[in-house]
Amino acid sequence: MKLTDVLDNLGLDISALDRGDLSVTSPIDGGEIGRVTAHSAAQADAIIAKSQEAFQQWKLVPAPKRGELIRVLGNKLREHKEALGALVTLECGKIFQEGLGEVQEMIDICDLAVGLSRQLHGLTIASERPGHRMSETWHPIGPVGIISAFNFPVAVWSWNAALAVVCGNSVIWKPSEKTPITAIACQKLFEDAAREVGGVPDGLSQLLIGEADIGAQLTADKRVPVISATGSTAMGRKVGPVVAERFGRSILELGGNNAIMVCPSADLEMAVRAILFGAVGTAGQRCTSTRRLLVHKSIYEELVPALKKAYQSVKIGNPLDAGTLVGPLIDRTAYDSMQTALQGVANGKVTGGERVLSDEYPDAYYVQPAIVEMPESGQTVQHETFAPILYVYPYTDLQEAIRLQNDVPQGLSSAIFTNDVREAETFLSAAGSDCGIANVNIGTSGAEIGGAFGGEKETGGGRESGSDAWKGYMRRATSTVNYSTELPLAQGIEFDI
Ligand code: UN1
């Protein structure tokens, strides 16, 4: 899978990717794979103005016609799935199977959005007044700013863009400065689809390349009514107040500190597979990665050794090689934070965590995933470290496990392994997990497109993807129509004139 072939397949001009002020390196070996040019503040301003113009036209296009564009985009993604999946692997280091999986998520959200384009349903509401009808209509809202992270360099854009576009909006995408090339590839596919469909205004989807300053400019701009930002809680803490200050709407999908709880009746083989993939898959760099494991003390001595054994069989290496399960961390900073987190373990027992393959890849950061066994009591770890570290805790009863599961600032994903219906239902009830995602007998990561995706507390509260997440990209109008010859006022008000 050579970079040049991949870029060629995606129709990208290779020579245009070797100049520019931003160097893009591959986490596979640390080598440079391209150079891109960051936009200036003035260019960003022009991009936002163009997005507004495109919105004015696009909002008038009937929604099913808007869906046609996304249908064609979905087909382009099908055609280029292998190449785009490979580019994802080259640029962010996740294994090829996951690169393909990410493109599959894009295809899935396009399908969902196409169906949605004929189902942007409003309501009719019973009026208290005779001869009156009330209704609710959803309208396009304006340019949507999308800020995405390196770990899902293309799927996160598509969850937002596919919905935003069928909802009648234009989009401006600020990808992570670590993964701009995959973004350029997606933009190219979008433009190809737009050309094929015809009648699509110029600038309906645009890229904003650069670092945090350009993201901050987008966030602060009043002309962009919705900002959807995916990344760390620290990033969300900056974005949220700036958007709120100008009364914009933000959709925040921030950090997770996701736990799996394993109960005495659980199928342990299934649990080991789920924990393993959840904790080490994507080298622990998913917001949904499993970071904490709560094990009932009666099965601790069976489960934890089995898990450690499974960890030993994990193949760490070049993410393009078949059979590799764990690729590299994104960069040196990620490796340093992992080491800092492990050094900070005061009273736990650490297995793994060391750097591997440094002879072969001196400029890349491959690690042995770590398990940290924590003592019986004590607070659970409060911080998200974006690396494969799994903290393991024994628990005595379900109430205690639920308390530990919820006792962190983040609230994205959670799971219980049990064959006891009472435990499962308690976990899913109001007395159970406080997360946006609560699963039974599957892991914390790998959510399907059909459900709303996001979480509570420091995860930011936003929802993307399926269910009614589309409403986040539209404005709602409540209308009352009086078809009578009287003018009765609500709340029984009467007056004389
Ligand atoms: C993320 O890491 O930001 O549920 C998103 C999952 C994927 C999405 C992860 N569908 O693991």
Side-chain angles (χ1 to χ4, degrees):
M1 210 88 51
K2 285 216 335 260
L3 178 67
T4 44
D5 297 341
V6 166
L7 296 177
D8 202 35
N9 177 293
L10 291 163
L12 292 180
D13 176 6
I14 294 152
S15 62
L17 286 173
D18 67 1
R19 48 188 107 102
D21 44 7
L22 268 182
S23 168
V24 186
T25 54
S26 173
I28 296 176
D29 57 7
E32 185 172 89
I33 53 170
R35 300 189 72 85
V36 298
T37 308
H39 288 110
S40 67
Q43 283 170 325
D45 189 62
I47 285 170
I48 296 169
K50 192 167 174 185
S51 191
Q52 261 204 319
E53 279 169 37
F55 167 65
Q56 294 306 333
Q57 294 177 46
W58 190 242
K59 71 177 183 184
L60 304 178
V61 174
K65 288 252 176 290
R66 304 193 297 240
E68 175 65 6
L69 168 60
I70 298 302
R71 191 180 67 75
V72 175
L73 175 64
N75 286 344
K76 299 259 167 250
L77 289 164
R78 284 182 172 88
E79 263 169 57
H80 297 279
K81 183 173 172 182
E82 289 248 321
L84 187 57
L87 189 58
V88 165
T89 293
L90 288 164
E91 203 178 31
C92 87
K94 63 174 65 173
I95 60 172
F96 183 45
Q97 191 59 39
E98 289 189 78
L100 293 175
E102 192 170 339
V103 183
Q104 187 58 48
E105 281 201 38
M106 304 177 82
I107 295 168
D108 295 343
I109 192 72
C110 286
D111 284 356
L112 184 136
V114 176
L116 189 64
S117 70
R118 291 181 185 269
Q119 300 177 82
L120 301 170
H121 298 314
L123 293 173
T124 53
I125 299 158
S127 168
E128 67 193 42
R129 288 171 281 191
H132 284 59
R133 184 176 64 77
M134 281 176 79
S135 64
E136 191 170 271
T137 312
W138 293 92
H139 294 298
I141 189 166
V144 173
I146 303 167
I147 297 173
S148 61
F150 77 85
N151 67 327
F152 271 77
V154 291
V156 169
W157 168 70
S158 70
W159 305 339
N160 288 283
L163 294 192
V165 165
V166 298
C167 288
N169 307 305
S170 51
V171 295
I172 304 168
W173 179 15
K174 194 263 170 226
S176 163
E177 61 276 13
K178 292 172 187 156
T179 54
I181 301 179
T182 42
I184 291 170
C186 292
Q187 175 66 17
K188 168 81 171 56
L189 294 179
F190 187 95
E191 283 169 10
D192 290 350
R195 211 170 304 114
E196 199 171 308
V197 170
V200 176
D202 224 29
L204 186 64
S205 167
Q206 295 177 90
L207 281 181
L208 204 50
I209 302 284
E211 307 212 24
D213 55 330
I214 212 95
Q217 186 181 341
L218 177 69
T219 303
D221 200 304
K222 278 199 180 72
R223 293 170 296 178
V224 186
V226 179
I227 297 286
S228 176
T230 301
S232 65
T233 293
M235 179 276 291
R237 239 188 252 292
K238 287 191 195 136
V239 168
V242 174
V243 178
E245 212 266 326
R246 61 177 176 86
F247 300 105
R249 185 186 297 170
S250 47
I251 301 172
L252 299 176
E253 203 263 282
L254 312 173
N257 194 348
N258 319 299
I260 292 182
M261 175 182 304
V262 188
C263 303
S265 66
D267 179 326
L268 296 190
E269 253 174 60
M270 268 171 61
V272 166
R273 278 183 74 77
I275 299 159
L276 184 74
F277 184 74
V280 312
T282 332
Q285 299 173 110
R286 287 195 194 206
C287 55
T288 51
S289 290
T290 308
R291 313 225 172 268
R292 299 177 295 138
L293 178 65
L294 306 168
V295 186
H296 191 269
K297 62 176 190 204
S298 67
I299 51 167
Y300 193 92
E301 289 312 327
E302 193 180 345
L303 180 75
V304 177
L307 186 65
K308 284 185 169 167
K309 192 160 165 247
Y311 262 60
Q312 279 162 16
S313 69
V314 167
K315 196 164 165 250
I316 305 158
N318 189 319
L320 288 169
D321 293 348
T324 300
L325 182 62
V326 177
L329 290 172
I330 186 72
D331 55 19
R332 161 109 219 187
T333 312
Y335 171 73
D336 288 344
S337 1
M338 178 175 181
Q339 298 314 309
T340 308
L342 291 176
Q343 280 149 21
V345 174
N347 53 355
K349 180 170 159 263
V350 180
T351 312
E354 59 278 1
R355 187 170 170 196
V356 295
L357 302 172
S358 54
D359 289 345
E360 202 174 331
Y361 301 109
D363 297 317
Y365 296 88
Y366 293 80
V367 290
Q368 186 71 48
I371 291 182
V372 184
E373 289 171 83
M374 306 298 283
E376 184 106 26
S377 61
Q379 242 195 346
T380 63
V381 169
Q382 303 288 304
H383 298 286
E384 176 190 46
T385 303
F386 227 51
I389 305 177
L390 180 69
Y391 297 93
V392 186
Y393 303 81
Y395 77 86
T396 308
D397 66 64
L398 187 69
Q399 294 314 319
E400 179 200 1
I402 291 173
R403 189 182 51 73
L404 284 171
Q405 133 72 35
N406 292 343
D407 185 28
V408 292
Q410 309 81 354
L412 179 56
S413 188
S414 58
I416 189 169
F417 274 78
T418 180
N419 282 324
D420 179 330
V421 72
R422 287 185 181 150
E423 286 178 335
E425 291 292 338
T426 303
F427 179 75
L428 299 181
S429 77
S433 162
D434 65 0
C435 292
I437 299 172
N439 293 335
V440 177
N441 293 336
I442 69 161
T444 55
S445 65
E448 292 180 25
I449 281 307
F453 183 83
E456 306 305 333
K457 302 192 287 187
E458 289 190 4
T459 302
R463 291 296 185 278
E464 295 169 316
S465 190
S467 183
D468 65 351
W470 61 271
K471 291 179 177 171
Y473 306 87
M474 300 201 93
R475 65 180 177 85
R476 179 194 325 234
T478 302
S479 310
T480 307
V481 176
N482 177 3
Y483 58 94
S484 76
T485 54
E486 306 288 321
L487 193 72
L489 298 185
Q491 295 91 43
I493 309 270
E494 292 193 16
F495 65 98
D496 293 326
I497 46 168

